[in-house]
Amino acid sequence: MTAYPPGKAGQASGQPDGNTTPALVLRLSHVDGSMLPLVGGKAANLGELIATGLPVPDGFCLTTEAYLEAAGTVQEGVLAELGNLQATLQPGNPGRAAELAVLAGRARDAIRAIPVPPRIVAAVEQAYSALGHSTPVAVRSSATAEDLPFASFAGQQDTYLNVVGIDAVLEAVRNCWASLWTDRAVAYRAALGIAPHEVALAVVIQRMVDAASAGVMFTANPLTGRRREAVIDAAPGLGEAVVSGAVNPDHFVVDTEKARVLERKLGDKRVMVRPLPGGGTRTQDLPDRTEAPSLTDEEAVDLAALGEQAERHFGSPQDTEWAIDTGGALWLTQSRPITTLYPIPESRYPGTGTRVYLCFSLAQGLTRPLTPMGLASLRLVASSVAKAAAFTVPDPRHGPSPYAEAAQRLYFDLTTPVRSNVGRRILPRVFDVMEARSASVLRHVFDDPRFSVTRRTPLGLVRHVLPAAVRAHAPESVFRGLFRPKAALRRLDRFTRQFADDLELAPGAGPVDRLDHAERLLGGLLFAIVPAILPLPALGFAMLWAAGKMLGGANRGEDLQKVLRGLPQNVTTEMDLDLWRLASALKDDRESRTVLEARPPSELAAEFDAGRLPPVLHAGLVRFLERYGHRAVAEIDVGMPRWSDDPTHILGVLANYLRLADPAMAPDVQFSRAGAEAEAEVERLVAEARRRGRVRALLVGAALRRTRLFAGLRELPKYQLVLGFAEVRKQLALVGTALAADGHLESPDDIFFLDFEEARQALTVRSEDGASQPRNLRHLVVERRAAYTSELGRRHIPRVLLSDGTEPEVLHAARAGVADGALSGSPASAGSATAPARVILDPVGAHLEPGEILVAPSTDPGWTPLFLTAGGLVMEMGGPNSHGAVVAREYGIPAVVGVADATARLATGQKITVDGGAGTVVPA
């Protein structure tokens, strides 16, 4: 390509050195990743491949400067309208989406109608001539928002193959420009929040490969997530047949580490796309060629090696397109990041060999990402747990050795317990009642020979757990709960009151003191509450198990489940019922009821802050928030606003409660009824035991009454932890206020997008002259907010992930279901309900009509006010003893948990039947 003009970045094609006019044309060999705004994603990646020495067809790039010069006036005419419309576009609003498509169509038509400016014609003609007159080329769109780590834009803009002659090339260029405004591309950008004025289009013109075979290759397995496993789809002729889905291709899976083909499955390949002599392509039918592979195993291995080089260069798995010419040479024609792979958990202390990571975020019912300060706080808490169990923690701010993070979610390395006999007995049983699908996945992991048992005795566990339990007086608590249950409750009440007092910080503290106090709470005091409380609810559930053993017989699960209804001592149900009682009082206050029914919760929250709500509503809300304002949705993240910070969610729930008209369905009535039914069930089971002996009856009665007394305390450890998190958040917000006042943060809430070390540096770093000069962190906060916002859109979070990227659930979990479309999960709360579904992904501002079946990804206490008017519950996460299941049982509503992809497979308004005893969800 020596005939090219000297097109370098920042220099116009054919212009003398020193001219800063952006280039119209650049050789692909002069392009690199730093030129994204000028050349777009596709061209930038091709230039990087060339720089790495990988085989890429010869070509050039017509830059975005040419697009802006040719189409700028047309684009400006619709940008404002598109921007305004896109800002109002909401999912499920097809009317607005149709308007967006109309504007996009106007932009396309206008661009196709414009003449290509003479200066651009000359530049393209000169560059194309350097390839050789009448050389067949591929003309391909390269948008600035394309082939990016967070968005591939695959297939959103147009490509034209086997284009011959300058006139055809220029026409293809104009069509590529217009394709920036296809309906699909505009909608895709809108979904990702990319504004219309943020994109422009370059065009790649490359020599066509005379392909004997072509296709696509992923350098990591996109289905299982496994790295070092290339997946290749291949077909004879041009790769368009594979990319477009016109052919059932040959499928190869290659182990890139061992350079061998693991899987080979031949497609029927009944059509082939071939170039026509004068330009263009045609699709021709082929005879049955199932026995003739498009690739040899050697070629598949060689292609995988090229892909591995590309992956190493870009630093992440790649989605590539390739071709093999008639002479047997291999070419890469495109490379972009695989945007759908879940990142591998990262740990400061990575272990050797393949590791098993479990998502603790999901185990807590949390699907959304955690803020940076939320993660930093949990690292400190996890370190305090590890230290309490006598594990070495080199730096508490980094978390203990099993701690890891991926996609701003919390994971734990379970390799050691998975490889021990005692771990294999305990882990799945814990998750059977906490998050049942995780338990199922873990059992499949046990079958993997890489995780065979290496520890056969429980000595290691006993060495760490027993001393910690003794220090926390757990044996004493259990003994007191067995023989002096009321005294145990009084002692627990004293402990929680002292815990609340210890959270307070003395008045007059400065920002550094507040930061110190927050770290002290997280690093020691907070977790101390858990072993102080946990023995009693654990005793309650142990007593339930013991009663079942003494009663004997099959199918005791449903009988014992009834005992858990309407439990006392549950702080979460007490909270929900307090909110219901407030709603009941508001029904009788006309002014309060009117504003709740007529105005959106966000407006009412602003009115509350300004002190302008009706007096009855204002006073009732103040009382509620004084007791429960420390709670929130996703409340284990200190970065999340508490209800006292923003009561929008609570006001929305109150409005929902006002729509409940049937007195028999009132939550307090249902709760009382559930408690009475549970007490009746206890008496029935005691009477049954009496037929087998008086002593047995006394023991069963004592066990079940302790279950009723203590099992409701299950919610108390988290309640107290969240109380501590709220105090940490309060202190950090005040630190943020100080930093914002100095101008080092845009707003006080920006503190939650830093970690403790960064916040401390901002407060204490001094300049050379000794004056206090906090570090300006605004740019870092902007980057992290953008990353956090991007992660909010992630729907798929693996429960269990291996360190090679494999998702065991994808490999092994069978999708339960029957011919009529039933969904299966774990029974959580017995009973059956048929009603319309209401799919809710975020409870804040959610609207749930009385009696509707709530379908959610997961729940934490922030969701439970919605339970009071729900007719049933379906959750993607959870087990029979997860938070949502326990509360559903206490309210007596049927619930099924652990239903795979429920929020995607069910739709709002769809009538479904939930059978909480069978664990099924059936469309009616």
Side-chain angles (χ1 to χ4, degrees), residues 11-86:
Q11 176 184 337
S13 175
Q15 298 293 327
D17 289 347
N19 189 324
T20 57
T21 304
L24 289 178
V25 168
L26 289 172
R27 300 163 119 178
L28 285 179
S29 58
H30 286 172
V31 169
D32 61 44
S34 69
M35 302 178 189
L36 180 68
L38 187 62
V39 301
K42 187 179 279 87
N45 290 349
L46 288 171
E48 291 288 335
L49 291 176
I50 292 170
T52 309
L54 288 162
V56 174
D58 211 356
F60 63 94
C61 175
L62 182 65
T63 67
T64 56
E65 178 68 14
Y67 168 80
L68 294 172
E69 181 176 323
T73 56
V74 172
Q75 178 167 303
E76 287 172 7
V78 293
L79 273 182
E81 284 183 276
L82 275 169
N84 292 336
L85 184 59
Q86 182 172 314

Side-chain angles (χ1 to χ4, degrees), residues 551-571:
L551 287 164
N555 302 319
R556 283 295 180 190
E558 192 167 339
D559 292 339
L560 296 175
Q561 208 178 78
K562 293 176 184 177
V563 175
L564 297 175
R565 291 186 173 183
L567 287 172
Q569 319 292 345
N570 187 317
V571 288

Side-chain angles (χ1 to χ4, degrees), residues 81-166:
E81 284 183 276
L82 275 169
N84 292 336
L85 184 59
Q86 182 172 314
T88 64
L89 189 67
Q90 298 293 330
N93 190 341
R96 303 298 277 175
E99 292 178 54
L100 199 68
V102 169
L103 286 174
R106 280 170 41 196
R108 287 197 304 276
D109 293 342
I111 290 172
R112 288 195 186 100
I114 61 172
V116 180
R119 194 168 80 97
I120 297 173
V121 171
V124 174
E125 189 167 17
Q126 186 179 10
Y128 179 60
S129 296
L131 291 176
H133 287 291
S134 300
T135 297
V137 292
V139 181
R140 313 171 71 196
S141 303
S142 180
T144 52
E146 179 178 69
D147 294 354
L148 304 176
F150 66 91
S152 71
F153 279 82
Q156 301 302 320
Q157 283 82 225
D158 289 347
T159 289
Y160 299 89
L161 301 178
N162 196 41
V163 180
V164 179
I166 185 61

Side-chain angles (χ1 to χ4, degrees), residues 7 21 72 88 111 121 131 167 182 287 306 311 315 395-396 478 584 668 687 793 805 916:
T21 304
T88 64
I111 290 172
V121 171
L131 291 176
D167 291 339
T182 61
L306 291 182
E311 178 178 309
D395 186 342
V478 170
S584 299
D668 52 352

Side-chain angles (χ1 to χ4, degrees), residues 23 238 391 601 661 689 741 899:
L238 301 180
F391 288 99
V899 180

Side-chain angles (χ1 to χ4, degrees), residues 689-764:
R690 189 174 293 113
R691 291 195 291 270
R692 301 175 62 186
R694 185 177 177 185
V695 172
R696 187 184 297 267
L698 288 171
L699 291 174
V700 167
L704 293 179
R705 289 187 179 91
R706 278 157 182 75
T707 294
R708 295 279 303 158
L709 192 61
F710 295 136
L713 293 171
R714 172 193 181 279
E715 295 290 306
L716 189 58
K718 185 176 181 182
Y719 180 91
Q720 296 294 326
L721 279 174
V722 171
L723 192 66
F725 285 147
E727 180 63 25
V728 169
R729 177 181 170 82
K730 171 185 166 185
Q731 300 301 331
L732 290 173
L734 292 169
V735 174
T737 299
L739 291 175
D742 290 338
H744 300 291
L745 295 177
E746 183 71 26
S747 70
D749 279 354
D750 286 349
I751 189 73
F752 300 111
F753 289 86
L754 306 177
D755 61 24
F756 285 97
E757 186 174 359
E758 291 159 350
R760 190 171 297 281
Q761 287 174 356
L763 291 170
T764 60

Side-chain angles (χ1 to χ4, degrees), residues 253-272:
V253 179
V254 180
D255 183 332
T256 54
E257 190 171 16
K258 297 180 180 178
R260 63 187 181 93
V261 174
L262 299 174
E263 181 183 336
R264 183 190 310 101
K265 184 168 65 177
L266 301 185
D268 55 29
K269 305 180 294 295
R270 294 188 181 276
V271 297
M272 176 170 65

Side-chain angles (χ1 to χ4, degrees), residues 371-380 397 403 405 754-756:
T371 60
M373 189 61 82
L375 287 166
S377 299
L378 291 173
R379 286 195 292 270
L380 288 173
R397 290 181 179 175
Y403 181 96
E405 294 172 10
L754 306 177
D755 61 24
F756 285 97

